[in-house]
Amino acid sequence: MGGEGTQFFESVADTAARLAEAGYLASTEVATTVFLADRLGKPLLVEGPAGVGKTELAKAVAAIGRARLVRLQCYEGIDEARALYEWNHAKQLLRITAGRDEGWDATRTDIFGEEFLLTRPLLTAIRGDEPTVLLIDEMDKADVEVEALLLEVLSDFQVTVPELGTITASRRPFVLLTSNATRELSEALRRRCLFLHLDYPEAELERRIVRLRVPGLDATLADSLVRVVGALRALELRKAPSVAETVDWARTLLALGADTLDETVVRATLGVVLKHQDDVLKAAQKLTVA
């Protein structure tokens, strides 16, 4: 198995406190799971709807540990060359051309050396000697073949490059995978991870988040804002407002100098939190600001 990891947290309480210092207000469940992932050296799979703070959690952990954040953004069609490594074929071709008078065995040994290796996020995180947080973002958007590629990385924190051999981490990264649950991840991948489901926060926690991120916002206005966002999420919308969009709405109200969240202000600024016209129309018809 890969080398020892760097422990960022001393206890669950320390985890919650330090995440808060980094601007991430965590519930007891979140703080406990993050602490255990850190202490046990296990990857953490965080699943939930878009915009509930999954990616921000990885950024907060990196900030707390003063660690390098290495991010693999998944998408349909991503392959080994984009996730792990690839060879610099143009540079290899130049080396072969320059060494025409050499034997092939000597040239082959040379062109598959470190100088010609292009490391991608997974290999970069494995090879690092400094504290590292590896964020594998939106894992559910990648093809199932990429999950097989991850199994060796997440099981033993090592990567096999046929031409170079097995590269084992001297210092295990803190690994956080996110998923919006648009497809089911494999059981083999889930077994290697601790699991955390993040949903939209309770009203009180969201109020605290808004006040932390937008300190100039009046407390009463923050209460009204969170209540309206909760009402929007209760509607059957194509895309419910995320926590980040709640914060954006709070900043919008502050920029407009709004004292209250009345119907006129809501209708004028719905585009900050709703990004589909049918959602805007539905909200305008059904939403009553108390």
Side-chain angles (χ1 to χ4, degrees), residues 45 47 139-140 147 179 183-187 189-190:
L45 171 60
E47 202 166 64
M139 183 67 222
D140 52 321
E147 292 188 34
S179 169
R183 74 169 176 85
E184 188 67 25
L185 301 180
S186 72
E187 290 301 323
L189 181 64
R190 289 180 179 275

Side-chain angles (χ1 to χ4, degrees), residues 232 235-238 267 270 274 276-287:
L232 289 172
L235 301 176
E236 293 184 1
L237 302 176
R238 287 179 61 185
R267 289 178 180 274
L270 271 178
L274 302 181
H276 297 279
Q277 178 61 11
D278 49 351
D279 284 350
V280 172
L281 293 175
K282 181 180 289 186
Q285 291 172 356
K286 297 186 176 182
L287 193 61

Side-chain angles (χ1 to χ4, degrees), residues 142-157:
D143 299 327
V144 292
E145 290 79 10
V146 176
E147 292 188 34
L149 175 66
L150 284 173
L151 296 183
E152 180 184 20
V153 176
L154 299 183
S155 294
D156 301 319
F157 291 93

Side-chain angles (χ1 to χ4, degrees), residues 17-97:
R18 297 184 69 191
L19 284 172
E21 289 173 4
Y24 193 99
L25 298 181
S27 65
T28 301
E29 179 188 5
V30 171
T32 300
T33 310
V34 170
F35 168 72
L36 290 174
D38 178 50
R39 183 55 56 94
L40 299 176
K42 298 276 286 183
L44 174 58
L45 171 60
V46 186
E47 202 166 64
V52 293
K54 302 185 296 296
T55 300
E56 291 303 314
L57 181 57
K59 293 178 180 179
V61 172
I64 289 166
R66 296 181 180 178
R68 175 178 58 164
L69 178 66
V70 177
R71 181 173 182 172
L72 173 61
Q73 180 62 54
C74 296
Y75 54 88
E76 185 178 352
I78 190 172
D79 58 9
E80 182 175 329
R82 293 291 176 263
L84 193 54
Y85 73 92
E86 64 180 322
W87 294 103
N88 189 330
H89 299 303
K91 194 171 183 180
Q92 286 176 322
L93 183 59
L94 289 173
R95 172 65 182 85
I96 292 170
T97 302

Side-chain angles (χ1 to χ4, degrees), residues 86-246:
E86 64 180 322
W87 294 103
N88 189 330
H89 299 303
K91 194 171 183 180
Q92 286 176 322
L93 183 59
L94 289 173
R95 172 65 182 85
I96 292 170
T97 302
R100 284 175 178 170
D101 296 333
E102 299 177 1
W104 168 242
D105 288 341
T107 303
R108 180 177 58 187
T109 301
D110 191 15
I111 64 173
F112 287 110
E114 291 282 348
E115 180 184 354
F116 300 89
L117 186 67
L118 298 175
T119 60
R120 300 308 184 198
L122 294 181
L123 185 55
T124 297
I126 288 294
R127 299 180 82 187
D129 292 326
E130 59 191 314
T132 301
V133 172
L134 171 60
L135 169 62
I136 304 174
D137 216 2
E138 298 187 297
M139 183 67 222
D140 52 321
K141 289 187 177 179
D143 299 327
V144 292
E145 290 79 10
V146 176
E147 292 188 34
L149 175 66
L150 284 173
L151 296 183
E152 180 184 20
V153 176
L154 299 183
S155 294
D156 301 319
F157 291 93
Q158 65 182 27
V159 168
T160 300
V161 180
E163 296 84 357
L164 298 178
T166 299
I167 300 170
T168 303
S170 57
R171 187 177 214 162
R172 289 199 312 267
F174 182 101
V175 182
L176 191 149
L177 305 89
T178 75
S179 169
N180 296 334
T182 58
R183 74 169 176 85
E184 188 67 25
L185 301 180
S186 72
E187 290 301 323
L189 181 64
R190 289 180 179 275
R191 280 198 306 272
R192 285 160 175 79
C193 304
L194 298 185
F195 177 76
L196 175 66
H197 180 80
L198 277 186
D199 210 333
Y200 299 112
E202 297 291 333
E204 176 55 31
L205 179 56
E206 191 158 21
R207 277 192 290 270
R208 290 174 55 206
I209 293 171
V210 169
R211 296 300 305 282
L212 177 66
R213 297 294 183 90
V214 193
L217 193 70
D218 177 76
T220 302
L221 187 55
D223 290 344
S224 298
L225 174 67
V226 170
R227 187 169 61 252
V228 173
V229 168
L232 289 172
R233 289 178 184 149
L235 301 176
E236 293 184 1
L237 302 176
R238 287 179 61 185
K239 171 63 176 67
S242 68
V243 178
E245 287 160 342
T246 303

